[in-house]
Amino acid sequence: MRCAVFIDGNNIFHSARQLGFEVDYSKLLSLLVGRDRELLRAFFYTGVDETADRQRGFLHWMRRNGFRVVQKPVKLDRDGSRKARLEVEIATDMLSYAEKVDLVILVSGDEDFAYPLQALAQKGVRVEVAGFRSAMANKVMDAADRYIELDQLTERFRKEAGGDDDDEFRERL
């Protein structure tokens, strides 16, 4: 089964940080793809602060480790929060791969993805969503063929202290 993985970097980063750990993205990718699937592409979407040198290092590491990084400058919202809003890019890329893969794995619980996931399913693509329960919208789970609750699997993709890119990701936002 050919698959593509789409990781909403901001979503998973903040969820993991709330739980007190950092994600090892290579381990997470291996966990999601498993042994019986062929990975066509792995995408990582994130907002970037153009002044953060450490973040550039992390994104360079991601590219060198098999991820297609899609980035967008972080903007300051009226409420003071900093966001990049990459939902359109993620949805567009998922739909563009509908003819190339049998399975799409989305790592995000953002409710905005419910409709694009339904569209993928209508095209005959199997859909799996992975995320932490605290950040997973019910509509997203309902749109998926399978929900992977990452809360139960954290030991399998938790970053060990002292990894090369520990500080780089911390600098992201």
Side-chain angles (χ1 to χ4, degrees):
M1 179 177 285
R2 293 181 348 154
C3 69
V5 177
F6 301 85
I7 299 174
D8 180 345
N10 296 332
N11 185 281
I12 192 167
F13 170 76
H14 289 294
S15 297
R17 188 165 75 177
Q18 285 178 342
L19 296 172
F21 76 98
E22 290 187 48
V23 174
D24 180 320
Y25 290 93
S26 292
K27 288 180 183 177
L28 177 61
L29 185 61
S30 294
L31 173 69
L32 295 172
V33 173
R35 293 188 176 120
D36 58 339
R37 298 174 177 168
E38 176 190 352
L39 178 64
L40 185 61
R41 290 275 186 277
F43 291 89
F44 182 82
Y45 300 83
T46 188
V48 294
D49 178 347
E50 301 295 333
T51 64
D53 290 337
R54 289 182 168 177
Q55 185 184 32
R56 278 197 298 272
F58 168 76
L59 296 177
H60 178 75
W61 182 92
M62 291 292 282
R63 287 183 188 96
R64 290 284 172 100
N65 285 276
F67 292 89
R68 301 283 172 109
V69 175
V70 178
Q71 62 191 55
K72 194 174 183 179
V74 172
K75 294 184 179 175
L76 189 61
D77 277 355
R78 291 180 186 178
D79 65 1
S81 63
R82 300 172 63 201
K83 296 183 180 177
R85 303 199 188 279
L86 284 146
E87 293 87 351
V88 171
E89 288 83 351
I90 296 170
T92 301
D93 289 347
M94 286 191 307
L95 289 167
S96 74
Y97 271 78
E99 304 297 322
K100 300 174 182 101
V101 297
D102 308 299
L103 168 67
V104 162
I105 303 169
L106 172 66
V107 182
S108 181
D110 189 327
E111 187 172 297
D112 291 338
F113 294 118
Y115 193 77
L117 293 175
Q118 291 170 357
L120 283 165
Q122 289 173 351
K123 290 179 171 286
V125 177
R126 182 168 170 75
V127 175
E128 295 181 2
V129 293
F132 296 101
R133 188 63 192 104
S134 62
M136 182 61 60
N138 287 331
K139 288 182 179 182
V140 173
M141 287 191 296
D142 292 345
D145 295 301
R146 178 178 175 224
Y147 167 56
I148 303 163
E149 188 173 335
L150 294 180
D151 304 71
Q152 308 301 318
L153 305 168
T154 57
E155 292 306 316
R156 295 178 61 187
F157 65 92
R158 176 187 300 264
K159 182 183 298 251
E160 295 178 24
D164 289 340
D165 59 323
D166 273 354
D167 293 329
E168 287 89 342
F169 200 58
R170 233 178 260 128
E171 292 276 323
R172 301 171 73 256
L173 293 173

